[in-house]
Amino acid sequence: MNRATLCVTCPNREMGLCGTLLGAVSEDSKADQNSGWQHFAAARAGEQIAIRNQGSSDVFVLCAGWAFRYFQLSDGRRQILQFLLPGDIFSPTTIFEKAFYFSAKALTEVRISAFARSEIRARCAANSSVQWAIAKACMEEVHDAARLSTVLGQFSAQERIAYLLLHLMTRIAARNVIREQRFPLPLRQQHIADAVGLTPVHVSRVFSQFRKRRILAFSDGVMTVSNLPELEKLGSLR
């Protein structure tokens, strides 16, 4: 399947930067469209996609599957910064920096669209819609970082996990038809622990509490929410 077909049929084309970039491309000539400024790659679950401080001439957008970006300390401890869903740019900072400030790994099997940084920057200079899409992506990343900092610094274990789940539920619902409050969640307890600064044992304990209180159940990669108001009471930033 060629690039044009993949992008035209992508259900997440309008989710973020992709739709604006490809809309700008469609106004250009056919010769420019075929200039090779975009290519695709795939990765298996658990495969490394980006390494911190590694240089790259491309800007990555996730087309399909789940991934995450993170910092890893020298002793092996890991802080997950963001779970990446289809339509997400890995980080808008990669439009302006030649090296990744983070590492990234595939959580499931993924497909990635790689755009040449030089072309994105050229289109940004020439197209106000691209400028605004990039600015919006930058603002969203700053806001997400501020919220996460607040959650990690001030929330209890239950509140941290509830916040993360609510955040993911909102993003999943924007991409999928959700029925009976059942959400696909291909995370292990280690991933959740690394995202909210807890141990897997502590995460397991919190999920047991949620299950006993009939707030939610998490099994086989699916989360079923039984009491959304209670989950929101725990995890919302009020």
Side-chain angles (χ1 to χ4, degrees):
M1 187 177 290
N2 60 34
R3 176 184 68 81
T5 302
L6 283 170
C7 292
V8 168
T9 59
C10 176
N12 301 294
R13 176 187 171 111
E14 304 304 326
M15 285 298 302
L17 188 61
C18 269
T20 305
L21 283 174
L22 296 172
V25 172
S26 67
E27 297 168 1
D28 298 328
S29 67
K30 288 186 178 181
D32 187 55
Q33 289 183 41
N34 296 326
S35 63
W37 78 299
Q38 180 193 18
H39 64 273
F40 292 95
R44 299 181 299 275
E47 188 173 343
Q48 197 75 34
I49 303 171
I51 299 174
R52 189 180 179 191
N53 297 324
Q54 180 184 61
S56 174
S57 60
D58 292 323
V59 174
F60 295 156
V61 174
L62 192 67
C63 299
W66 285 53
F68 59 92
R69 56 183 174 89
Y70 65 96
F71 279 174
Q72 184 132 15
L73 303 182
S74 58
D75 62 2
R77 286 178 295 169
R78 180 177 69 182
Q79 177 65 49
I80 292 179
L81 305 172
Q82 183 187 24
F83 291 106
L84 300 167
L85 276 62
D88 285 344
I89 183 173
F90 278 30
S91 171
T93 61
T94 57
I95 297 171
F96 308 102
E97 298 179 331
K98 295 181 180 180
F100 298 110
Y101 80 87
F102 55 85
S103 297
K105 185 173 287 190
L107 184 60
T108 66
E109 184 177 344
V110 300
R111 188 172 72 247
I112 302 158
S113 176
F115 296 93
R117 180 186 299 106
S118 59
E119 287 295 327
I120 292 181
R121 293 178 67 167
R123 295 176 195 281
C124 179
N127 189 302
S128 60
S129 295
V130 176
Q131 293 169 16
W132 173 243
I134 292 172
K136 184 178 178 182
C138 289
M139 288 187 291
E140 287 175 351
E141 185 167 299
V142 169
H143 294 169
D144 282 345
R147 286 189 287 262
L148 180 60
S149 177
T150 301
V151 167
L152 295 181
Q154 300 299 324
F155 273 21
S156 69
Q158 283 193 15
E159 291 169 336
R160 292 184 197 185
I161 293 175
Y163 168 82
L164 174 66
L165 297 179
L166 288 168
H167 180 66
L168 289 173
M169 285 164 54
T170 299
R171 298 174 62 208
I172 293 168
R175 294 163 170 81
N176 299 276
V177 176
I178 301 302
R179 295 184 175 89
E180 299 179 348
Q181 295 296 311
R182 291 170 57 86
F183 299 83
L185 202 69
L187 308 180
R188 296 185 177 181
Q189 290 181 356
Q190 184 67 63
H191 296 122
I192 296 171
D194 289 348
V196 297
L198 299 171
T199 66
V201 171
H202 206 157
V203 171
S204 178
R205 189 178 304 127
V206 170
F207 272 111
S208 293
Q209 293 168 351
F210 284 167
R211 187 168 54 252
K212 289 178 182 178
R213 294 171 59 184
R214 297 185 179 180
I215 296 174
L216 60 82
F218 180 40
S219 178
D220 297 326
V222 176
M223 179 178 66
T224 303
V225 179
S226 305
N227 192 338
L228 181 58
E230 188 63 23
L231 188 65
E232 290 175 334
K233 182 179 177 181
L234 282 169
S236 294
L237 277 169
R238 297 176 293 275

